[in-house]
Amino acid sequence: MTVLSGLTEQIYSDREIMAMFSGTETIRRMLQVEAALARAQAQCAFIPASAARCIDDVCHVADIDSILDLAGIASASIAAGNIAIPFVRQLTAAVHKADPEAARYVHWGATSQDILDTALVLQIRQVTAQLDQDLLTAAKACACLTAAHRDTIMVGRTWLQHALPTTFGAKTAGWLEALERSRVQLRRDGTRIAQLQFGGAAGTLASLGTAAPAVAREFARELGLALPAMPWHAHRDRLAHFSATLGILTGTLGKIARDISLMAQTEIGELAEPGGPGRGGSSTMPHKRNPVGCAAILAAAARVPPLVSTMLSAMVQEHERALGGWQAEWDVLPQIAALTGGALRHLVGMLEGLEVYPRRMAENLDATNGLILGEAYTLALGARVGRLQAHELVEEASREAVRRGCALSVCIREALAGNPATQDLLSDEEIEFLRNPAHYVGQAAAICDEVLKQWRSTPDHSADNIKAPPAPGRRGRF
């Protein structure tokens, strides 16, 4: 229900999602809800069909500014406490100009929160459809990287230190799986949240009498939403769950951006963001190529968790209608959605044009003169003299290799040859085998294959079951 703006906000937030929550689009969705309510009530013979037609016509006017004063709604909402009250007042006046009798039936039986929450659900349906499609694109890019670099050997790092060899494909397979988990959860949340809000003043629909169940069913059908067993005015778990899913997704995007930015450091040089005119430059250093996409994603990953915390805190609401908790959601949820969407768009652009440098990965593998393969030597020797003795032997050889600045394989060979008890433990051929990082990547290739197999088995990888609704239109005429 907010307009996200400012000189810097467009760096981090998705423009399309920002537009979905703009003042104009929020009012447009509220008009869509009011029109659907009138049509539903007419279908159930609760209000005259002529009144519903008039309300429907006014709500679907092409130029909203011709019937509503958005600045006036915003100003009046300060005293009213929400935008729905002045909105309904202006809408009623607009309908009255067309048909004074029809104006009697505007917003009949509904409460402000019914309109605002249902409009929000329609906006979330749009957001979910876009995020789903962008997640699909990001996942496809990860799948391509995984397939292309299944056997591209690189340093595996733990605690920011060289650990053991792995493959770049295994790393991107991890990205792919995490993105897919978020995509599955987002679809679940999208289905769960697509629920009509319609309860009237206190959630009982007393204003509609015995017609309430039929009107509610038709109202939900008009908007393509599910009809819950009861209104959810003060039960915000669906919205909180959706927000948490976006928070987790943004955290995943941040993890990927952190990996890319670390690998793009000058001293590492294994990856680079896509280049282009005006991208990643410095105001003073012409040689710089800054990872600006990573910066935007990491900024979003830092901003979203506190916003999600607000949504969780806002769940504690009083009785049948909230005092403060509901209101706290209005600006926060759009910010979460726009930041998540912005981070995802940045990631898509990065992954699709990511520059990978296998030669540099190979060079970094040898940065420690073979120390990265210490575990391989230890296990080979441990099978013959026991793990502890093997560990001590390789540890001493590692220290010697560091002291002399030579290859670990040389020190291993010398240490074994210098003791009659160990000189025959490893042959020259075995040492040659063990010093090759390609022989100690474990199940990296199999991991890539399995992740790709599971990903390809997902039905059609399309967003067909989460479709953005068309621009507000009419489902029926009278």
Side-chain angles (χ1 to χ4, degrees):
M1 325 256 181
T2 185
V3 179
L4 298 176
S5 60
L7 291 174
T8 61
E9 195 59 44
Q10 294 187 51
I11 299 174
Y12 311 107
S13 298
D14 183 84
R15 293 183 182 183
E16 291 184 23
I17 293 179
M18 290 168 67
M20 292 173 194
F21 288 105
S22 69
T24 299
E25 285 306 305
T26 295
I27 294 298
R28 195 179 300 280
R29 290 301 174 189
M30 293 170 68
L31 288 169
Q32 182 183 2
V33 174
E34 291 284 6
L37 173 61
R39 294 197 303 269
Q41 290 174 333
Q43 289 282 9
C44 298
F46 191 76
I47 68 172
S50 59
R53 280 194 295 270
C54 181
I55 295 170
D56 193 55
D57 286 337
V58 172
C59 286
H60 285 95
V61 67
D63 182 11
I64 292 178
D65 291 333
S66 67
I67 61 168
L68 300 176
D69 174 13
L70 270 62
I73 290 174
S75 178
S77 69
I78 298 172
N82 66 60
I83 62 173
I85 293 172
F87 161 80
V88 171
R89 187 178 298 118
Q90 288 194 21
L91 176 59
T92 301
V95 174
H96 187 273
K97 287 182 179 180
D99 182 350
E101 181 65 18
R104 296 173 50 194
Y105 300 102
V106 173
H107 194 67
W108 192 267
T111 192
S112 296
Q113 191 168 354
D114 291 335
I115 306 305
L116 290 171
D117 276 351
T118 302
L120 176 63
V121 166
L122 298 179
Q123 290 169 311
I124 289 174
R125 187 164 62 180
Q126 284 184 292
V127 169
T128 303
Q130 178 176 308
L131 292 179
D132 182 85
Q133 189 58 47
D134 288 344
L135 271 169
L136 171 62
T137 304
K140 284 182 177 178
C142 281
C144 289
L145 288 168
T146 301
H149 296 283
R150 172 186 183 271
D151 301 309
T152 301
I153 305 170
M154 63 170 290
V155 174
R157 298 173 173 95
T158 61
W159 288 42
L160 294 175
Q161 306 294 307
H162 283 210
L164 297 173
T166 183
T167 69
F168 183 53
K171 183 181 288 288
T172 60
W175 301 349
L176 173 58
E177 271 217 317
L179 291 172
E180 279 296 289
R181 286 193 294 272
S182 280
R183 188 162 178 253
V184 169
Q185 188 58 55
L186 183 66
R187 287 186 164 204
R188 289 172 180 165
D189 285 342
T191 300
R192 184 185 296 118
I193 211 168
Q195 307 268 342
L196 178 74
Q197 175 74 285
F198 189 43
T204 63
L205 283 177
S207 59
L208 299 186
T210 58
V215 170
R217 284 193 299 271
E218 185 61 24
F219 191 11
R221 190 194 69 80
E222 285 283 344
L223 293 171
L225 299 174
L227 179 64
M230 63 177 293
W232 43 277
H233 293 123
H235 293 278
R236 317 303 284 180
D237 52 294
R238 295 182 185 92
L239 292 178
H241 208 292
F242 175 71
S243 301
T245 294
L246 296 189
I248 291 169
L249 169 56
T250 307
T252 292
L253 304 179
K255 186 275 186 287
I256 298 172
R258 184 73 77 195
D259 281 351
I260 293 173
S261 61
L262 289 172
M263 294 173 70
Q265 291 182 104
T266 304
E267 295 82 356
I268 306 300
E270 296 172 347
L271 298 176
E273 287 191 13
R279 182 181 176 91
S282 166
S283 61
T284 59
M285 295 172 284
H287 67 281
K288 288 294 290 296
R289 185 173 173 183
N290 294 318
V292 292
C294 289
I297 296 170
L298 291 167
R303 291 177 62 186
V304 168
L307 297 173
V308 173
S309 176
T310 299
M311 292 296 296
L312 296 175
S313 299
M315 290 180 67
V316 184
Q317 302 198 358
E318 301 79 17
H319 302 303
E320 280 65 54
R321 299 285 293 283
L323 180 67
W326 173 49
Q327 293 81 357
E329 300 170 355
W330 295 345
D331 288 340
V332 170
L333 198 153
Q335 289 175 18
I336 294 172
L339 285 167
T340 302
L344 184 53
R345 285 287 177 92
H346 276 291
L347 183 71
V348 167
M350 274 202 301
L351 292 177
E352 291 187 327
L354 191 66
E355 297 179 14
V356 184
Y357 304 119
R359 180 178 297 179
R360 185 60 180 157
M361 292 178 179
E363 291 171 355
N364 287 336
L365 276 168
D366 201 39
T368 60
N369 288 322
L371 293 181
I372 195 172
L373 292 163
E375 184 183 76
Y377 291 111
T378 300
L379 293 176
L381 289 167
R384 299 166 192 186
V385 298
R387 189 196 64 82
L388 185 58
Q389 182 179 345
H391 183 89
E392 292 173 349
L393 191 154
V394 174
E395 187 176 41
E396 178 58 33
S398 297
R399 283 195 291 266
E400 183 66 11
V402 171
R403 186 183 69 81
R404 291 165 51 187
C406 66
L408 176 60
S409 60
V410 171
C411 294
I412 292 283
R413 185 179 282 109
E414 291 176 355
L416 294 177
N419 186 339
T422 61
Q423 62 184 4
D424 295 326
L425 288 179
L426 291 177
S427 67
D428 288 344
E429 290 77 11
E430 288 174 308
I431 291 176
E432 277 301 305
F433 181 87
L434 292 170
R435 68 189 294 270
N436 186 345
H439 297 151
Y440 205 70
V441 292
Q443 297 299 304
I447 288 170
C448 294
D449 293 341
E450 183 60 28
V451 170
L452 288 173
K453 177 183 175 182
Q454 291 186 18
W455 183 77
R456 289 166 180 149
S457 69
T458 303
D460 74 20
H461 288 93
S462 72
D464 288 347
N465 63 339
I466 298 183
K467 295 183 178 179
R474 314 176 193 210
R475 290 194 54 164
R477 299 296 289 166
F478 302 103

